[in-house]
Amino acid sequence: MNGIKLCGTGAAAPVKVVTNDDMAAMVETSDEWITTRTGIKERRYCTDETQLSLCMDAARQAMDRAGVSPADLGVCLVATISPDFITPSVSCLLQRELGLPEDCLCMDLNAACSGFLYGLHTAQCLLDACPRKYGLVVGGEAFTRLVDFTDRTTCILFGDGAGAAVVRSGPDCPVLHTVVGARGDEKVLHIPGAGTGVPPYIHMEGTAVFKFAVETVPKCITQVLEQAHMTAEDIDLFVLHQANERIIDRVVKNLHLPPEKCPKNIARYGNTSAASIPLLLHELCASGALKPGMRALLSGFGGGLTWGGAILELDGEAH
Ligand code: COA
């Protein structure tokens, strides 16, 4: 099977910035509590933007940076749990907006915050069977539409945003070593669906999710490294789901990873669910921290419960 390489990234965030002091005006909380318990200082909320407009913006940038035209794309996958419509899918609307060929496989994925990792894994498999060799993988959320702004235990955590990646499949691309996992459980984290008579807001047992994350993510990273016959020293950067700074720090500590290899942007965006990993990945590519030929290990966890990890190499010709 052909592997994939990362060729270009993009990201988009709404204009409206909501600080911890703004949150404290809505619910009984404080900048001090949010900062020490989560590492979040601010997040972005959609006003004029939609989930689709964020995804379009990020996808266009990723295609520009990869130097690909719509006709090059064989696969378009969007990871999201907060689309503007249940149907049509976001990926179908991207087909129209980006002018993708009608035989480009367009599909949305629901794996909550692990969605981008599920998307990369799926893109590799689908592209191997596709005559066109480029794929678009987007993670985009207008997550704040799923937040109960009277529940201080959840509303302070989340924000809106999107990140996108163009990947190339080819015999010269290393196989994407991936671990994806699922353990069905609606007790610790769920969002009710349409027709249930309950508003579609996130319900979460924070401590149980925290425990799940600090157990699962290190295990997942270790498994991906083992699968690739690599050690942490072979990885240039670890791009971890930005859910809570304390979770990231625990993972870094448990695995003895060098903190400078584990960048964070949670202070500026909060938890953007499926957008979190591609948003950070884009910042690292755009700043030059992740250079052509370098390897990033991406890992995250989320509702489902789901988790995932993947080792992705930046293509030599990317910028
Ligand atoms: N402001 C002030 N106090 C708050 C608060 C807020 N926003 N939210 C909760 N509290 C209070 C609680 O009511 C509790 O008060 P009590 O002791 O009087 O009962 C106290 O703070 C401690 O609550 P607790 O839930 O134990 O805090 P915590 O240290 O576990 O932090 C989370 C809570 C949600 C930040 C943390 O559990 C977490 O990040 N979990 C993982 C969530 C996650 O990653 N979800 C996304 C999945 S992709």
Side-chain angles (χ1 to χ4, degrees):
M1 177 161 132
N2 288 336
I4 54 171
K5 279 188 182 181
L6 177 64
C7 306
T9 58
V15 173
K16 184 176 176 185
V17 176
V18 178
T19 65
N20 289 346
D21 287 338
D22 295 330
M23 297 305 307
M26 285 188 251
V27 287
E28 199 184 331
T29 190
S30 64
D31 175 45
E32 199 269 331
W33 193 96
I34 300 173
T35 305
T36 52
R37 301 289 179 125
T38 71
I40 299 166
K41 296 299 281 182
E42 58 190 41
R43 66 290 285 148
R44 304 293 185 98
Y45 284 5
C46 286
T47 48
D48 292 339
E49 304 87 353
T50 62
Q51 193 269 354
L52 176 64
S53 73
L54 294 175
C55 290
M56 263 160 43
D57 191 356
R60 287 201 174 106
Q61 290 168 38
M63 288 168 66
D64 279 355
R65 286 175 160 262
V68 298
S69 69
D72 297 324
L73 291 172
V75 170
C76 170
L77 302 174
V78 179
T80 187
I81 55 170
S82 55
D84 301 330
F85 303 97
I86 289 175
T87 192
S89 64
V90 187
S91 45
C92 281
L93 296 175
L94 282 184
Q95 180 278 326
R96 179 186 69 198
E97 298 298 327
L98 302 173
L100 304 181
E102 286 194 350
D103 60 351
C104 177
L105 189 149
C106 293
M107 177 169 85
D108 287 4
L109 279 165
N110 173 347
C113 306
S114 315
F116 185 73
L117 297 160
Y118 272 64
L120 285 177
H121 180 58
T122 309
Q124 168 169 264
C125 301
L126 292 173
L127 284 172
D128 197 47
C130 180
R132 284 189 230 103
K133 288 302 160 201
Y134 288 90
L136 178 63
V137 183
V138 184
E141 303 281 12
F143 200 95
T144 50
R145 58 175 51 144
L146 303 174
V147 165
D148 175 358
F149 283 98
T150 64
D151 176 9
R152 68 174 182 173
T153 65
T154 51
C155 72
I156 51 115
L157 296 171
F158 297 97
D160 302 332
V166 169
V167 294
R168 177 174 69 83
S169 166
D172 60 322
C173 300
V175 169
L176 182 81
H177 293 285
T178 329
V179 168
V180 286
R183 183 189 305 154
D185 184 336
E186 77 283 24
K187 287 199 186 70
V188 299
L189 200 165
H190 77 273
I191 301 169
T196 57
V198 187
Y201 296 145
I202 183 160
H203 297 263
M204 187 179 70
E205 289 178 18
T207 311
V209 176
F210 194 101
K211 202 166 157 251
F212 161 71
V214 297
E215 279 172 7
T216 309
V217 176
K219 222 182 274 174
C220 178
I221 291 174
T222 306
Q223 284 172 354
V224 185
L225 287 171
E226 278 171 11
Q227 194 192 111
H229 302 292
M230 289 182 197
T231 69
E233 280 163 23
D234 298 309
I235 304 298
D236 296 293
L237 287 170
F238 292 82
V239 182
L240 306 180
H241 173 43
Q242 307 284 297
N244 182 324
E245 185 167 36
R246 287 191 295 140
I247 294 176
I248 301 168
D249 291 346
R250 284 275 283 277
V251 171
V252 169
K253 191 166 163 242
N254 289 357
L255 291 175
H256 309 290
L257 302 176
E260 64 279 9
K261 278 192 179 184
C262 306
K264 300 173 209 167
N265 64 5
I266 186 165
R268 285 178 285 123
Y269 298 109
N271 182 348
T272 56
S273 185
S276 151
I277 289 175
L279 194 56
L280 178 56
L281 185 65
H282 172 69
E283 288 190 350
L284 297 169
C285 290
S287 70
L290 193 67
K291 296 183 180 60
M294 282 186 169
R295 271 189 216 118
L297 194 156
L298 284 41
S299 185
F301 65 95
L305 299 167
T306 55
W307 59 92
I311 298 173
L312 191 59
E313 192 175 311
L314 189 55
D315 206 357
E317 285 164 31
H319 57 273

